[in-house]
Amino acid sequence: TLQNELSGEMNLWRLTDHVHHNSIAIAPEFGALLHEWEIETPEGSINVIDQYADRETALRELGLSYKSARLSPFVCRIPEGTYSWQEHTYHISNRFMDGSSIHGLLYNKNFKVADQYVNDHMATLRLRYHFNKEDEGYPFEYACEVIYTLLPDRKLRIETTIENLDDQAIPVADGWHPYFNIASGDRKQAKLKIPAKTRALVEGVQTAMDAYDLATACQQVKEYLDALNNWWIRRSRERFWGETGPADRQDAYDTLYTCLTTLCRVVAPLL
């Protein structure tokens, strides 16, 4: 099912899979924010997203923590909000407390519901924001669409489409800043299983190459690099720094070595 509701004074759209007791809640007014992903487990129902308590908290803290925020048209940090593009220098006016510009310009924009669809197997919500030169440091026009699709077996698919509406090429990047809840135990003991993704990369690229499908092979590599860099390496920083002990640090080094050497072998035929 798909329904509009009010919770903690936040306007939410909820997609629910009643068969597998799985649901998500989206907050369009906060940059199409993924506010909740509730999954049924043997220990009970848990929300795996570290959410804001209510609308007032989101208004106060979103620009500080960027929890689960949509990052567009740039990600990470631009020192002093200054960048160059096609021999022009631009100065973004929206700044973080340290003077830099961080995590884009759409995280607090009110996305509009562009489409919704429900059948017996899935529920889909499409959200859209039209950015029209709203910051003097980013005088470009484009649209950002985010599609959330709740699928059977507790699966969530998130797709982003960027449409250039300007009369010139524009600098643009898109990302996500996920914050997750750990149901129980020590956060440092939670690990993202990269070796399984590495195996999937090998098999996926091999299948694509056997079919002479270079585009799919390259896409497999791109998705793997995104998982490795933006998920596993970022979330393993404490392990690399030795804060979890020398043995765990060595495990992290060994895993990264395996990932990188395997990646080099996989991409060699594509270079």
Side-chain angles (χ1 to χ4, degrees):
T1 61
L2 195 157
Q3 63 183 24
N4 189 214
E5 64 183 45
L6 195 66
S7 176
E9 298 186 355
M10 293 182 78
N11 179 33
L12 301 175
W13 282 87
R14 182 172 298 279
L15 288 66
T16 304
D17 176 359
H18 295 284
V19 175
H20 298 94
H21 306 287
N22 177 29
S23 71
I24 64 170
I26 311 301
E29 69 172 313
F30 295 107
L33 179 79
L34 178 58
H35 178 67
E36 179 182 308
W37 186 2
E38 191 168 330
I39 298 175
E40 189 71 24
T41 73
E43 291 77 28
S45 180
I46 63 169
N47 175 23
V48 299
I49 299 299
D50 183 9
Q51 63 181 195
Y52 295 105
D54 49 36
R55 186 174 186 272
E56 181 180 353
T57 304
L59 288 170
R60 184 176 62 250
E61 298 181 4
L62 181 59
L64 299 175
S65 66
Y66 299 90
K67 289 198 302 187
S68 295
R70 167 68 45 188
L71 313 181
S72 180
F74 59 88
V75 300
C76 296
R77 192 180 303 266
I78 299 179
E80 299 179 353
T82 300
Y83 68 97
S84 296
W85 170 251
Q86 295 188 341
E87 300 181 355
H88 289 84
T89 299
Y90 299 94
H91 305 280
I92 295 175
S93 59
N94 187 16
R95 305 288 181 88
F96 195 56
M97 62 181 67
D98 64 358
S100 65
S101 293
I102 184 172
H103 292 333
L105 302 170
L106 301 191
Y107 61 89
N108 60 354
K109 300 300 185 181
N110 188 7
F111 278 60
K112 303 299 183 183
V113 175
D115 193 16
Q116 52 183 292
Y117 175 77
V118 178
N119 64 20
D120 292 337
H121 305 289
M122 70 179 194
T124 296
L125 182 69
R126 181 162 62 93
L127 301 154
R128 180 181 175 92
Y129 186 81
H130 180 184
F131 185 93
N132 191 10
K133 308 176 182 180
E134 296 158 35
D135 189 294
E136 62 183 3
Y138 193 80
F140 308 105
E141 184 179 0
Y142 79 104
C144 177
E145 282 196 355
V146 185
I147 302 176
Y148 288 95
T149 302
L150 193 64
L151 298 164
D153 298 323
R154 303 177 180 86
K155 293 180 181 179
L156 171 62
R157 183 173 67 213
I158 306 174
E159 304 168 83
T160 301
T161 300
I162 300 297
E163 181 182 0
N164 184 1
L165 301 176
D166 214 289
D167 56 3
Q168 59 181 312
I170 65 174
V172 67
D174 186 84
W176 184 37
H177 201 252
Y179 272 58
F180 293 107
N181 274 325
I182 304 300
S184 61
D186 186 350
R187 175 178 59 86
K188 294 181 179 180
Q189 300 304 314
K191 298 178 182 179
L192 181 64
K193 301 295 185 179
I194 281 294
K197 290 183 178 293
T198 304
R199 180 63 182 174
L201 170 72
V202 174
E203 294 178 352
V205 171
Q206 182 176 351
T207 299
M209 293 291 284
D210 288 344
Y212 301 99
D213 187 353
L214 297 182
T216 298
C218 291
Q219 181 63 26
Q220 295 265 359
V221 173
K222 178 179 178 296
E223 292 175 358
Y224 177 80
L225 284 171
D226 179 66
L228 180 65
N229 182 47
N230 294 326
W231 289 72
W232 189 75
I233 291 178
R234 178 174 293 184
R235 293 183 175 277
S236 298
R237 285 179 292 192
E238 293 175 344
R239 301 177 68 197
F240 290 122
W241 295 337
E243 295 181 5
T244 56
D248 193 45
R249 177 174 59 186
Q250 189 60 50
D251 286 344
Y253 286 157
D254 292 344
T255 300
L256 182 58
Y257 174 83
T258 300
C259 292
L260 293 177
T261 54
T262 302
L263 176 64
C264 289
R265 295 189 187 101
V266 168
V267 301
L270 300 171
L271 299 179

